[in-house]
Amino acid sequence: MKKIAVLMGSDSDLPVVKAAFALFREYGVPYEAHVMSAHRSPEAVREFSAAARERGFGAIIAAAGKAHLAGAVAANTTLPVIGIPVKSSTLDGLDALLATVQMPSGMPVATVAIDGAANAALLAVQMLSMEDAVLASKLDAKRAAMRAQIA
């Protein structure tokens, strides 16, 4: 099974992305987490993103506030990139949301809600499930349980 990379622009983003880690453990999906900044360590972002496919990753989640980490990642890989705009003290995360969704043509970034790490993780798991029937079955079972709970 391919693994998921979770990049954080700062270690202050960790409380937000912990929800993603919990879902990866629930579904048995391997992941790695790294702190690297689009602005303070751009070379590290470029090197990691460019080599991610060869290192066995199937998607990259990038969480950042006040920055465009997901865009910097997308510029250096053709793997799916999922952006998590992180709420910061500035503009309640709207700045991060706009930086994440306003990508130029040819550089797509899937974007979830501000602080939406759980949905970012589920989207990454769904991407991996396209080639993994066991993972797809786990997702189907979870959806069935959600439907039953509502009923």
Side-chain angles (χ1 to χ4, degrees):
M1 174 185 302
K2 293 188 184 292
K3 55 190 173 180
I4 303 297
V6 179
L7 306 183
M8 295 168 275
S10 168
D11 61 0
S12 65
D13 300 326
L14 184 59
V16 171
V17 299
K18 282 184 177 182
F21 303 159
L23 279 163
F24 292 142
R25 287 190 297 272
E26 177 183 342
Y27 285 96
V29 173
Y31 68 94
E32 288 182 17
H34 301 273
V35 176
M36 53 185 72
S37 167
H39 299 99
R40 295 182 298 267
S41 58
E43 297 85 8
V45 172
R46 182 175 48 344
E47 290 170 13
F48 183 90
S49 303
R53 184 182 303 274
E54 290 74 32
R55 292 184 54 215
F57 292 99
I60 301 173
I61 294 173
K66 300 183 184 181
H68 63 92
L69 179 58
V73 171
N76 291 289
T77 186
T78 55
L79 287 174
V81 177
I82 304 165
I84 304 171
V86 176
K87 183 177 180 178
S88 65
S89 60
T90 306
L91 302 174
D92 287 330
L94 183 59
D95 53 338
L97 174 65
L98 294 174
T100 307
V101 299
Q102 295 297 325
M103 293 299 300
S105 181
M107 294 294 148
V109 171
T111 307
V112 296
I114 296 169
D115 291 349
N119 271 352
L122 283 171
L123 182 56
V125 171
Q126 288 174 330
M127 289 172 178
L128 295 185
S129 78
M130 291 189 297
E131 296 180 4
D132 187 319
V134 172
L135 202 51
S137 292
K138 289 179 181 180
L139 286 164
D140 289 340
K142 181 71 170 189
R143 288 282 177 97
M146 291 169 70
R147 283 190 299 274
Q149 184 179 24
I150 294 299

